[in-house]
């Protein structure tokens, strides 16, 4: 397994390819149990995300940083930062601040971790676009 092959697995998979434990915050890739995503616990005092309207302009204006760590076996591969918005009703990728756009890879990852099925609705609400 190399870095590019690992990332290809992540970004070419979809939600149904993953086992998920909400209690542990762990996603395990069904075809290769060595591939996993771990969601760090949110510290509601330390992990507040403020100052960006796309994240705070919702009925519940609090937003929190959410960190996902990607692993192959015991090896750490990559860290992905996202933002939980509107009382944890959606988790959005961190957009380019000038264009309010996200990459196709960011979108694909967000679809994997979208447990409530609210991603597309909240992308529209936040005014975020997926770059072609």
């Amino acid at each position: 397994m190399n870095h590019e092959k690992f990332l290809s697995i992540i970004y070419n998979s979809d939600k149904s390819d993953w086992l998920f434990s909400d209690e542990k915050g762990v996603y395990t890739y069904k075809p290769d149990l060595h591939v996993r995503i771990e969601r760090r616990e949110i510290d509601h005092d330390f992990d507040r995300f403020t100052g960006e309207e796309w994240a705070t302009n919702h009925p519940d204006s609090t937003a929190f940083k959410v960190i996902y760590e990607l692993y192959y076996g015991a090896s750490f591969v990559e860290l992905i930062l996202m933002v939980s918005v509107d009382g944890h009703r959606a988790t959005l990728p961190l957009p380019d601040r000038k264009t309010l756009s996200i990459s196709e890879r960011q979108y694909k990852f967000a679809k994997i971790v979208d447990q409530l099925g609210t991603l597309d609705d909240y992308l529209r609400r936040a005014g975020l676009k997926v770059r072609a």
Side-chain angles (χ1 to χ4, degrees), residues 79-97:
L79 183 137
I80 296 177
L81 175 64
M82 296 183 60
V83 180
S84 177
V85 300
D86 197 16
H88 302 294
R89 289 179 182 87
T91 303
L92 303 178
L94 193 61
D96 176 287
R97 287 178 170 96

Side-chain angles (χ1 to χ4, degrees), residues 13-55:
S13 68
D14 61 37
K15 191 175 186 169
S16 66
D17 294 325
W18 297 87
L19 301 168
F20 176 62
S21 168
D22 189 33
E23 183 178 304
K24 293 181 182 271
V26 175
Y27 299 76
T28 304
Y29 186 58
K30 292 176 189 177
D32 183 347
L33 301 180
H34 294 291
V35 177
R36 75 180 186 285
I37 300 165
E38 293 186 10
R39 180 188 65 216
R40 283 193 198 163
E41 282 296 313
I42 296 172
D43 180 327
H44 285 85
D45 294 321
F46 178 73
D47 291 327
R48 286 199 183 268
F49 187 86
T50 61
E52 298 200 28
E53 194 169 310
W54 64 267

Side-chain angles (χ1 to χ4, degrees), residues 49-119:
F49 187 86
T50 61
E52 298 200 28
E53 194 169 310
W54 64 267
T56 58
N57 192 23
H58 301 282
D60 182 337
S61 64
T62 55
F64 299 94
K65 293 181 282 186
V66 182
I67 296 173
Y68 291 90
E69 297 173 337
L70 282 54
Y71 288 89
Y72 184 75
S75 298
F76 170 79
V77 178
E78 193 164 308
L79 183 137
I80 296 177
L81 175 64
M82 296 183 60
V83 180
S84 177
V85 300
D86 197 16
H88 302 294
R89 289 179 182 87
T91 303
L92 303 178
L94 193 61
D96 176 287
R97 287 178 170 96
K98 291 180 183 175
T99 63
L100 291 182
S101 64
I102 62 172
S103 70
E104 185 68 29
R105 278 186 162 194
Q106 286 175 296
Y107 178 73
K108 287 181 176 183
F109 183 81
K111 290 295 274 187
I112 292 168
V113 299
D114 178 23
Q115 291 304 309
L116 298 177
T118 58
L119 176 65

